[in-house]
Amino acid sequence: AVFDHLQFLISIRNNVNDVELPEFLKDVQATYASLQDSEHSKAKIASIPSIRDAEIWLNLPTTDLTAISCSQLDGALRSAKSLCFNAPLDTHTVERAKNFLIPYESLLRAVGCVDMVRPPKPVMIPRGDARRPIDRILTAIREMRKDKDTVDVILVVEGSEILAHRNFLIAASDKFRRQFSGEWGKNLDPKPTIPVEDLTFKTLSYMVDFAYTGEVVWPASHHDDDINEVADKLDDLLDLLQGASKWLMDSLHDQTQRHILAKSETYIRPDNVDDVREVAELARAKHLVKFCDDYIQANSQFVQDCRDMKETE
């Protein structure tokens, strides 16, 4: 009877006006509480077929009933399948349970709302020499990079030039070491202009800067970043991971992989884990591949729901 009353309330939501809304929401809260407080009712509702798919949960941002409008009701209806208590971001398929539903966590868990599982992050041992050159010398060399007369190689990417010294590129990149020490390098002009076609200007700038400093200034993450901002930052990081792999820059490769893992709560989600894993495999990032595999296994239902949605789009 309590569940029937909940279904009735959901069915009449469009007939409620702003004056009636606070009392209507109180009734919804009382019904949720009644279902949660009774183990018999909780077990009964959990046994209903397809209850996980039923859109009967008002995922509203506040418990202040006077701050909620009628126009919010339809857009707030969610199924237990699409709710999660520890999702880092709202996506197309999974949404964080908000303040209105937080008091009914045990009820939601009983009907199929589950946590997103974060597999343990693999321990990575740094490769290469971690010692830094003297800061004073680095500062002077960075200044020299600004002067076209003092550099001995010019990289051209996306129509823009990046000035550098080949010795620093050789020290940071096994690819450049092999090229400059071979016949190709011996036949170059004293100050060659080298086109780079498989990287973006942004990625190559990060890589050349790393050759001089041994460090990367990572894109800052903010708690209010939306999903598109997070996706753009992740794309930059994955581009850098692939660039480090292609240019055989082991230290940069390790640092980039480690950074993505450290920020995996933000960057890796059910709707993108397959894509991240694909890039990680191409970039020979074995620790990131393993994390993605563990994540997919631990969150198989969330991931499969996202795959199913992509197939229907």
Side-chain angles (χ1 to χ4, degrees):
V2 180
F3 180 62
D4 291 340
H5 183 62
L6 175 58
Q7 289 182 304
F8 168 73
L9 290 174
I10 298 302
S11 71
I12 66 167
R13 66 189 182 281
N14 292 328
N15 299 325
V16 177
N17 59 41
D18 287 329
V19 175
E20 300 166 333
L21 183 58
E23 288 302 317
F24 171 80
L25 293 173
K26 285 181 185 178
D27 198 353
V28 172
Q29 289 176 317
T31 306
Y32 287 160
S34 179
L35 288 169
Q36 177 168 260
D37 294 342
S38 167
E39 291 300 324
H40 174 73
S41 296
K42 197 185 323 184
K44 188 173 181 181
I45 189 176
S47 68
I48 297 173
S50 301
I51 187 62
R52 191 167 178 261
D53 298 310
E55 294 188 342
I56 55 175
W57 310 104
L58 287 173
N59 198 27
L60 295 162
T62 180
T63 55
D64 180 0
L65 305 187
T66 62
I68 301 171
S69 66
C70 289
S71 61
Q72 292 177 269
L73 295 187
D74 258 351
L77 269 183
R78 296 290 180 270
S79 64
K81 171 182 175 180
S82 65
L83 291 171
C84 181
F85 284 98
N86 66 340
L89 288 167
D90 292 343
T91 69
H92 300 302
T93 56
V94 181
E95 189 171 292
R96 288 171 288 190
K98 296 183 172 62
N99 290 341
F100 191 84
L101 290 179
I102 293 299
Y104 317 109
E105 180 175 348
S106 67
L107 173 62
L108 282 163
R109 290 190 186 281
V111 297
C113 180
V114 298
D115 282 335
M116 201 168 290
V117 180
R118 294 283 166 187
K121 298 168 186 174
V123 177
M124 295 181 58
I125 301 173
R127 288 183 286 179
D129 190 347
R131 293 174 299 174
R132 293 182 54 190
I134 300 172
D135 288 342
R136 179 177 58 80
I137 297 175
L138 279 175
T139 300
I141 292 172
R142 290 191 201 107
E143 290 300 314
M144 290 171 61
R145 278 186 65 200
K146 299 175 183 177
D147 186 354
K148 203 168 185 176
D149 292 333
T150 64
V151 300
D152 60 4
V153 62
I154 301 171
L155 305 174
V156 179
V157 57
E158 296 183 334
S160 298
E161 294 182 345
I162 297 177
L163 308 180
H165 301 88
R166 66 180 75 187
N167 284 341
F168 277 83
L169 299 181
I170 290 171
S173 165
D174 281 350
K175 176 183 176 180
F176 263 113
R177 178 177 58 79
R178 295 170 189 174
Q179 288 184 330
F180 282 125
S181 61
E183 286 298 316
W184 178 84
K186 293 175 183 177
N187 295 324
L188 288 176
D189 295 331
K191 187 185 293 187
T193 297
I194 302 174
V196 179
E197 298 179 352
D198 57 349
L199 297 171
T200 65
F201 177 81
K202 188 173 188 178
T203 298
L204 186 57
S205 296
Y206 271 126
M207 293 167 63
V208 174
D209 287 344
F210 182 86
Y212 284 83
T213 66
E215 299 175 344
V216 179
V217 179
W218 304 111
S221 298
H222 305 288
H223 72 278
D224 57 348
D225 283 348
D226 66 32
I227 192 169
N228 294 321
E229 291 172 315
V230 172
D232 289 341
K233 292 173 183 177
L234 176 60
D235 286 344
D236 288 344
L237 290 169
L238 293 176
D239 286 347
L240 185 59
L241 186 66
Q242 291 186 90
S245 176
K246 291 174 182 176
W247 281 33
L248 303 177
M249 298 175 71
D250 287 346
S251 182
L252 176 58
H253 187 271
D254 281 359
Q255 288 191 38
T256 306
Q257 187 176 190
R258 190 177 294 110
H259 179 74
I260 295 172
L261 288 168
K263 298 290 185 180
S264 61
E265 290 83 357
T266 298
Y267 290 129
I268 300 178
R269 308 183 306 272
D271 60 316
N272 73 358
V273 65
D274 287 330
D275 297 330
V276 173
R277 190 199 181 284
E278 181 179 355
V279 174
E281 190 163 44
L282 291 172
R284 303 177 294 110
K286 63 180 182 180
H287 295 286
L288 184 54
V289 169
K290 183 182 184 306
F291 181 87
C292 290
D293 286 340
D294 292 344
Y295 184 99
I296 291 168
Q297 183 176 1
N299 300 282
S300 57
Q301 187 59 60
F302 283 122
V303 174
Q304 189 57 51
D305 289 343
C306 292
R307 290 170 177 168
D308 293 342
M309 174 167 283
K310 288 178 181 179
E311 289 179 1
T312 59
E313 289 177 350

